[in-house]
Amino acid sequence: MGAGMAQLEGYYFSAALSCTFLVSCLLFSAFSRALREPYMDEIFHLPQAQRYCEGHFSLSQWDPMITTLPGLYLLSVGVVKPASWIFGWSEHVVCSIGMLRFVNLLFSVGNFYLLYLLLRKVQPRHKAASCIQRILSTLTLAIFPTLYFFNFLYYTEAGSMFFTLFAYLMCLYGNHKTSALLGFCGFMFRQTNIIWAIFCAGNVIAQKLTEAWKTELQKKKEERPTPIKGPFSEFRKILQFLLAYSMSFKNLSMLLLLTWPYILLTFLFCAFVAVNGGIVIGDRSSHEACLHFPQLFYFFSFTLFFSFPHLLSLNKIRAFLCLVWKRRIQFFVITLVSLFLVWKFTYAHKYLLADNRHYTFYVWKRVFQKYEIVKYLLVPVYIFAGWSIADSLKSKSIFWNLMFFICLFTVTVPQKLLEFRYFILPYVIYRLNIPLPPTSRLVCELGCYAIVNFLTFYIFLNKTFQWPNSQDIQRFMW
């Protein structure tokens, strides 16, 4: 019976992957016909990749407007160059816009497989129904609108996702040296991916802490049947446990032996920052770090929107309101702090205000900029979204949650520019780690993603416009 189910799941997976790739190829063809020239950030990425393809690797050939490391260009050359040797294609063909964009479509296939493997590793496999749920979850995440759209343009999203997911998978299997190496590859695509390499180390630490915490709880239960009660008693106990755990040389040496590849990678990153004078290469004027705390609130809203079948229901709202009433003092303080952070730390990047090709321009203009009070009125929504996300992760240990939210904070808050692309990786990692939702909710989520994708592709390909001072065709995109 088990072998039969595994074989059936293999058939389902193959069918889902084949159908997704077929649809992607058709969309890629439509994109290629509509976009003969580089678009948006491709005007920097594509010429740089073509220079690498022609063998011009010197720093004098580097475009100073590019702010990420050359991982995408190096890997693209490693993929397309062998094609010229095997098939005898000319350099003009293998270094063409279409061929370079196709590299991201290959990454999307790898991402589909990695998502499936991660779901098999992360989620328990004790139910027959979980086979369908895993396939549906894989398919849903593979066509996640913000990620799926950039599979068809020469951006760093698909490759960045591939190496980060691969590093996470190797970490879960205990291959930490391989995981750190893949984390370095992810860093070469986007510098902020170093945070997710650190998250892999945090995952290891959280696992060991959870094991020790369970042992500690068992001892306490045997020694003292009546626990101390109070609003912060659990928090105090965890702090005491962490302090005692960190004072043990045996514990620290064990964690060091497990995580040294990630520590080495972190030291390399610190050396890069010291030599480079910052995390950004090239044009730094538009990518200055700041404490943009509302970015965390925007991520919560983004996640609530795209995971609404799992995070939004009458029961959830009722449970939240009951909790607010029960702990009204704590929630009152949280609300005041959130209002203060929105008031003092809301920033509007010049690109957000000026570039009307991005959906974020219209979100900001028609929601946040229209009425000043809106950003404060949305605070209860942010708090509900944050609570709902944390509640959906309650199957994970307190230490895993701590590591995840620290990494989420670190990767979102320093960004001044509100751009949905920056939320892709934390969203996918979050979504992989919630319990497998019921099939009905997954079908609803998949259907909504398909509709959003249809609309965004239709608008991008057909609803073009021009700026008054330019003859170039402009398109709406994420």
Side-chain angles (χ1 to χ4, degrees), residues 185 255 329 395 409 454:
C185 294
L255 292 178
I329 295 172
S395 61
F409 180 92
F454 172 79

Side-chain angles (χ1 to χ4, degrees), residues 122-138:
V122 171
Q123 304 293 348
R125 285 176 279 169
H126 53 79
K127 296 179 182 176
S130 65
C131 156
I132 299 295
Q133 289 166 287
R134 277 195 300 274
I135 300 298
L136 282 173
S137 291
T138 303

Side-chain angles (χ1 to χ4, degrees), residues 51 87 101 127 137 163 194 208 228 286 303 306 347 380 396 409:
R51 283 192 285 274
F87 302 109
R101 283 177 181 159
K127 296 179 182 176
S137 291
F163 284 108
I194 192 68
K208 294 301 174 185
I228 299 169
S286 303
T303 303
F306 281 107
Y347 300 103
K396 310 297 286 187
F409 180 92

